[in-house]
Amino acid sequence: MRILILGGTGEARELARIASGERGFDIVSSLAGRVANPRLPVGPVRIGGFGGVEGLRTWLRENRINAVVDATHPFATQVSAHAATAAADLDLPAVHLCRPEWVQRRGDLWTRVPDLAAAAAALSQHGERVLLTIGRQGVGAFADCVRHRFVIRAIDAPQTPLPQRYELLLARGPFTFDEELVLMSRHRIDVLVTKNSGGAQTEAKIDAARTAGVPVVMIDRPPLPAGAVAVDDVSAAVDWLRTVGSHSVH
Ligand code: NAP
């Protein structure tokens, strides 16, 4: 069974590692090519966009793919919509591997907002010093926040317009609880802005904000593609693949 894993996440790498060890599974992983020096999964990898739904359909056909696992980041909505449509068009089994979101706990000071623009607007209710941890692509949404001073943390430098006052921290997680606490205290952070990515890899900043009493502007997740079959961890995705594999054999 030839399987496409749409990746760019730790879960996608973990799934590629486990599934490539299974008899009868032939895996290829796909990355968007956004990060200059990506962490690569084991096994074959292709890098770059497919060229929309049409390009993805063609690629799936030409590569005789039998099943698709969309293990992209919960905020990567476009590729997920394309994957759901292309797989449905070709009648291919597809699953969305999506880690659970973070839920508010006692002591959390969250303002929940629907998108980046609302996150930028919500800063008017908060102090001056902002820790911005939304990845580099959405930083432009904060370019007009002239009253605030940003610490922007990202893997690569943003290419979008930037706020007037900022410091760039180029770093790749995971970060520990202690590291996050020190960061927030050293920069005297008044508010953290984050997407609700979920998962353990970047959760330490949420725990540190709770401990330090730092408010969080939490960007809610976009919905999954309509009708998507979803699992929330790697072992459930492996089980799904085994089930699909057993149906395709018999
Ligand atoms: P997006 O907006 O959903 O996708 C934009 C376009 O990038 C897609 O239409 C597709 O191009 C291409 N693309 C995205 N993921 C791809 C993949 N795995 N393989 C091949 N092409 C892909 O995605 P995004 O938010 O820019 O995220 C890009 C990648 O970074 C994703 O793989 C995601 O897992 C990872 N990532 C995203 C975030 C985030 O916050 N968004 C955070 C961490 C990691 P075509 O239409 O040409 O096929």
Side-chain angles (χ1 to χ4, degrees):
M1 182 165 77
R2 284 187 50 79
I3 300 159
L4 171 66
I5 300 176
L6 293 164
T9 58
E11 288 84 355
R13 287 191 296 277
E14 176 71 357
L15 179 62
R17 189 184 66 73
I18 295 173
S20 9
E22 295 249 341
R23 253 183 71 221
F25 287 178
D26 184 4
I27 306 286
V28 56
S29 295
S30 175
L31 300 179
R34 294 275 187 282
V35 177
N37 181 20
R39 284 195 179 124
L40 292 174
V42 296
V45 181
R46 63 158 305 285
I47 298 184
F50 295 93
V53 180
E54 183 55 44
L56 179 54
R57 255 194 315 252
T58 304
W59 191 93
L60 290 168
R61 241 190 264 112
E62 286 179 356
N63 289 274
R64 290 182 287 115
I65 296 296
N66 306 112
V68 177
V69 182
D70 176 4
T72 57
H73 189 272
F75 281 78
T77 48
Q78 194 168 310
V79 68
S80 292
H82 292 176
T85 304
D89 291 349
L90 299 177
D91 220 6
L92 291 178
V95 73
H96 193 113
L97 166 52
C98 195
R99 59 180 95 122
E101 60 185 10
W102 296 314
V103 290
Q104 196 163 358
R105 295 212 233 138
R106 181 190 291 269
D108 281 328
L109 305 168
W110 289 10
T111 303
R112 293 179 56 178
V113 294
D115 54 30
L116 289 164
L123 288 182
S124 64
Q125 308 299 316
H126 292 282
E128 186 190 359
R129 305 177 79 94
V130 184
L131 176 57
L132 191 60
T133 63
I134 53 155
R136 67 181 175 136
Q137 290 190 73
V139 173
F142 298 85
D144 294 333
C145 296
V146 288
R147 190 174 69 78
H148 291 89
R149 179 186 294 273
F150 289 82
V151 175
I152 302 172
R153 185 169 68 190
I155 296 175
D156 292 318
Q159 306 293 318
T160 51
L162 293 170
Q164 265 172 28
R165 297 187 297 161
Y166 72 93
E167 181 176 332
L168 191 57
L169 281 185
L170 295 183
R172 193 195 307 249
F175 307 99
T176 66
F177 174 78
D178 288 346
E179 287 166 343
E180 299 293 46
L181 261 190
V182 167
L183 176 70
M184 288 179 198
S185 134
R186 183 168 2 110
H187 292 275
R188 292 183 281 118
I189 292 301
D190 294 311
V191 58
L192 165 69
V193 181
T194 178
K195 295 172 175 172
N196 194 335
S197 301
Q201 292 265 320
T202 52
E203 195 174 12
K205 63 187 171 188
I206 309 299
D207 297 335
R210 184 184 310 116
T211 299
V214 169
V216 177
V217 174
M218 180 65 72
I219 304 170
D220 278 339
R221 287 195 176 178
L224 291 181
V229 175
V231 294
D232 65 8
D233 64 19
V234 171
S235 73
V238 174
D239 288 345
W240 180 87
L241 283 172
R242 287 182 186 138
T243 307
V244 170
S246 68
H247 287 154
S248 64
V249 168
H250 298 116

